[in-house]
Amino acid sequence: MLILAPMYDVTDTTFRQVVAACAPPDMFFTEFVNVEGLQSAGRPRLEHFLKLEDTGVPVVAQIWGKNPDNYYQTAKELAELGFAGIDINTGCPDKTIVKNGCCSAFIKQENRENFAQILAATKHGVKDSGSNIPVSVKTRLGFNETDFGWHEFLLKLGVDMLTIHGRTRKEMSKVPVRWDEIEHIRKLRDAVAPQTKIIGNGDVSGRAEALELQARYGLDGIMIGRGIFTNPYFFAENAEDIWASKTSADKIALYIKHLELYRSNYPNGERKFDPVKKFMKVYLSGFDGASELRAQIANIHSCEQAIEILRNSLE
């Protein structure tokens, strides 16, 4: 099983639609969205995170926060909206979020009881919706150091799927991923909670490598993050050959498609233009004039302007 990871300002409905059209993974995750915000007067500003497309690929909604009641209500609503699952973020290393006791802060011993309440509330919300969609957790090896006690705690709580990013919160993304430690968690799963799926995550550069890692370490799947920025056809069997065969016009046209979808998905300015600029490095690379195009796009402020520049370059 190959999964596209949740990435803020990346895996919105627009990019998921583009990837699904190129070469779909087995599962998508949304960007992470805050349950406190969803259950507040500020909800309208967050609802665009919950746009759900129909591409045939299941989409899991990833959520974060610290109030069990808000998790309960959000889970109930997400199940009713038609998401294929709900994932709780316990891996984000952002300092402000961690200081607030959320995400990777749950790895700390003093916060685990709160997390147990959050997981129970999320499951309860799903059940009360009349659904049986799975509830999963994405996490890290530990906070400051590897802590297998944390993973055993999660497994004993009964999560349907556990995704492990193979570094600690302290390490961020600054050291190599420790796949042997992910394998240790998989073996722990075998003994403690054989029904839980274990997914490995971290610095996977291609589909073939992903499948090799899955087989070598006995995992149920691999989650792909930044690797998608090298090739929107990442999940195709012959991904590298496909992308290498694309002309500059093909790549520019795909970026135009992305921008047009983005504009149509957020017609009232629900999302700003700047985040979609980062996709320049996906589409505008590997051909003469790519850097000049990126420089032009970097200095504009709307999808319309970007589309005009790209169409003019095709002419």
Side-chain angles (χ1 to χ4, degrees):
M1 178 165 56
L2 300 181
I3 303 169
L4 184 61
M7 291 177 280
Y8 192 74
D9 275 344
V10 176
T11 53
D12 73 320
T13 184
T14 305
F15 191 51
R16 297 196 306 263
Q17 290 176 64
V18 171
V19 173
C22 290
D26 297 304
M27 185 182 297
F28 283 125
F29 273 50
T30 67
E31 304 159 276
F32 71 159
V33 59
N34 182 256
V35 297
E36 273 72 66
L38 287 174
Q39 303 307 322
S40 74
R43 181 188 180 98
R45 295 195 298 272
L46 300 178
E47 287 181 329
H48 64 85
F49 287 103
L50 303 181
K51 280 181 174 284
L52 187 58
E53 67 281 359
D54 182 14
T55 63
V57 181
V59 180
V60 174
Q62 191 183 65
I63 55 178
W64 69 283
K66 63 190 299 185
N67 185 303
D69 291 339
N70 290 333
Y71 274 91
Y72 166 82
Q73 186 60 37
T74 299
K76 188 171 181 292
E77 292 167 358
L78 293 173
E80 292 169 349
L81 285 171
F83 284 95
I86 296 171
D87 187 79
I88 302 174
N89 184 330
T90 71
C92 177
D94 181 86
K95 288 182 179 180
T96 302
I97 289 174
V98 171
K99 187 176 181 179
N100 194 36
C102 300
C103 293
S104 59
F106 287 125
I107 299 172
K108 294 182 175 183
Q109 188 71 44
E110 63 266 28
N111 295 326
R112 292 183 188 179
E113 180 54 38
N114 185 33
F115 182 78
Q117 295 174 21
I118 282 169
L119 182 62
T122 304
K123 290 182 176 182
H124 191 192
V126 168
K127 182 179 179 181
D128 283 358
S129 74
S131 172
N132 62 350
I133 61 171
V135 176
S136 59
V137 172
K138 186 174 187 291
T139 193
R140 287 176 171 260
L141 291 176
F143 195 80
N144 290 324
E145 57 187 23
T146 298
D147 183 356
F148 294 127
W150 163 241
H151 309 106
E152 183 173 4
F153 173 79
L154 293 175
L155 290 166
K156 287 182 175 178
L157 286 178
V159 296
D160 293 297
M161 185 169 80
L162 182 59
T163 301
I164 311 294
H165 179 85
R167 304 179 179 97
T168 65
R169 184 265 170 186
K170 181 179 180 180
E171 291 166 338
M172 306 287 279
S173 296
K174 299 175 182 177
V175 302
V177 173
R178 294 192 289 284
W179 289 95
D180 57 330
E181 295 189 9
I182 296 176
E183 181 184 33
H184 181 90
I185 297 165
R186 191 270 299 164
K187 291 178 179 177
L188 188 63
R189 180 281 309 269
D190 294 345
V192 173
Q195 75 283 358
T196 300
K197 296 185 184 304
I198 300 295
I199 309 298
N201 169 239
D203 294 352
V204 179
S205 60
R207 184 179 189 274
E209 181 189 15
L211 295 176
E212 192 276 329
L213 288 167
Q214 178 177 325
R216 187 195 312 175
Y217 295 107
L219 305 174
D220 296 293
I222 299 292
M223 181 175 278
I224 309 303
R226 292 174 294 178
I228 194 68
F229 281 98
T230 65
N231 186 346
Y233 291 86
F234 186 102
F235 297 102
E237 287 189 19
N238 53 341
E240 292 184 6
D241 292 339
I242 292 174
W243 195 230
S245 72
K246 298 298 180 182
T247 64
S248 59
D250 294 331
K251 294 179 177 181
I252 292 168
L254 191 56
Y255 195 16
I256 291 173
K257 176 183 177 180
H258 187 140
L259 290 165
E260 289 176 337
L261 274 172
Y262 194 85
R263 182 175 60 183
S264 66
N265 282 327
Y266 313 113
N268 300 313
E270 296 93 333
R271 296 182 76 119
K272 302 299 183 184
F273 171 67
D274 280 357
V276 83
K277 288 184 182 181
K278 71 179 64 180
F279 293 96
M280 290 189 294
K281 60 185 177 183
V282 179
Y283 306 110
L284 306 182
S285 62
F287 60 87
D288 291 342
S291 60
E292 289 80 3
L293 271 178
R294 292 197 301 272
Q296 290 183 66
I297 301 294
N299 292 315
I300 60 175
H301 306 288
S302 73
C303 284
E304 288 75 16
Q305 289 176 302
I307 291 168
E308 181 180 4
I309 288 170
L310 293 170
R311 284 178 175 163
N312 288 340
S313 75
L314 289 176
E315 294 173 2

